[in-house]
Amino acid sequence: MGPIDKRLILANLPEEYCGPRVLLRTYRAGDGPMLWDAVEESREHIEAWLPWSPYHQSPDDSEAYARKCHAQWLLREDFAISIWERASGRFLGGSGMHPKNRSTPAFEIGYWIRKSEEGKGYVSETVRRLTDALFADMGANRVYIRCAVKNVRSNAVPQRLGFPLEGMLKNEICLASGELSDAYQYAVTPEIWASLSDRPS
């Protein structure tokens, strides 16, 4: 176990983060039905970018996914996040803080939102809050986001939050169709993020 792994395992990380409108928390046993409902609503809408089919074929699949995510959080292997509307308690979508280079350390943020809640700013609020958490709680020195070049809505999130574009990665993402897609990559360091802290979300 490297030193960064030990640091994360011993860290007292919160399992919930709050934004003005969202509650971000680990997946838990019992989340499967609500996750399944959101996936079913959004399957045709999002699956072009996220290959969900093998993982969510039934409500039991979604429940197993939720429990696996919680176990990975406890082991500090990965940090999947469920997104909930604070006011109503409705499940909105998912995100995550994924360790990619533990010696740096660097993390990738991914996200999706159910079709009926698209365009309301929930994802931008989520990414802002998780980026804060990565720098404050996990000692990140680099946070990045990759988006398929044709995924206009996903690319709008880091652009809106001021993540600088680092470049385009050729054949970086395999889509659900099996097609390879180029990806835009955006990243911030603690210094860049601090300079952007007053930007509107």
Side-chain angles (χ1 to χ4, degrees):
M1 180 189 301
I4 190 62
D5 295 305
K6 182 178 180 180
R7 183 186 61 80
L8 279 178
I9 287 174
L10 295 178
N12 294 317
L13 300 177
E15 294 195 359
E16 293 186 356
Y17 295 95
C18 286
R21 297 180 301 151
V22 298
L23 170 67
L24 313 174
R25 66 161 174 81
T26 60
Y27 285 94
R28 299 171 183 164
D31 286 344
M34 289 166 284
L35 172 58
W36 168 256
D37 181 64
V39 168
E40 279 290 274
E41 175 191 309
S42 311
R43 195 178 293 273
E44 293 183 7
H45 173 66
I46 295 177
E47 202 164 54
W49 314 113
L50 298 175
W52 277 344
S53 289
Y55 310 107
H56 298 281
Q57 290 293 317
S58 70
D60 282 348
D61 286 345
S62 296
E63 178 66 18
Y65 174 85
R67 295 185 185 201
K68 179 180 179 181
C69 286
H70 187 64
Q72 289 176 323
W73 182 288
L74 294 174
L75 291 170
R76 303 297 195 253
E77 293 176 352
D78 197 20
F79 303 93
I81 288 284
S82 55
I83 308 172
W84 305 78
E85 186 179 37
R86 288 183 64 182
S88 67
R90 187 179 190 225
F91 180 87
L92 300 177
S95 186
M97 304 175 286
H98 308 299
K100 295 297 182 179
N101 185 332
R102 292 179 182 267
S103 62
T104 305
F107 294 79
E108 180 178 10
I109 294 180
Y111 42 81
W112 65 274
I113 200 78
R114 66 190 305 156
K115 182 177 180 180
S116 59
E117 302 299 337
E118 186 180 66
K120 299 180 181 179
Y122 291 123
V123 173
S124 293
E125 184 178 328
T126 295
V127 172
R128 176 184 286 278
R129 187 66 188 87
L130 294 184
T131 303
D132 286 342
L134 283 166
F135 290 134
D137 299 335
M138 298 193 183
N141 285 307
R142 171 179 167 79
V143 175
Y144 69 94
I145 296 171
R146 293 175 304 141
C147 305
V149 294
K150 294 181 180 179
N151 191 342
V152 175
R153 286 189 176 275
S154 283
N155 279 283
V157 173
Q159 293 167 3
R160 186 179 301 116
L161 294 175
F163 278 61
L165 174 65
E166 292 190 317
M168 184 174 70
L169 308 176
K170 304 297 290 184
N171 287 347
E172 176 70 5
I173 295 175
C174 184
L175 303 177
S177 64
E179 174 188 0
L180 291 177
S181 170
D182 299 342
Y184 289 126
Q185 181 161 296
Y186 308 82
V188 288
T189 62
E191 296 77 18
I192 293 173
W193 189 242
S195 74
L196 298 171
S197 61
D198 293 331
R199 287 179 62 98
S201 58

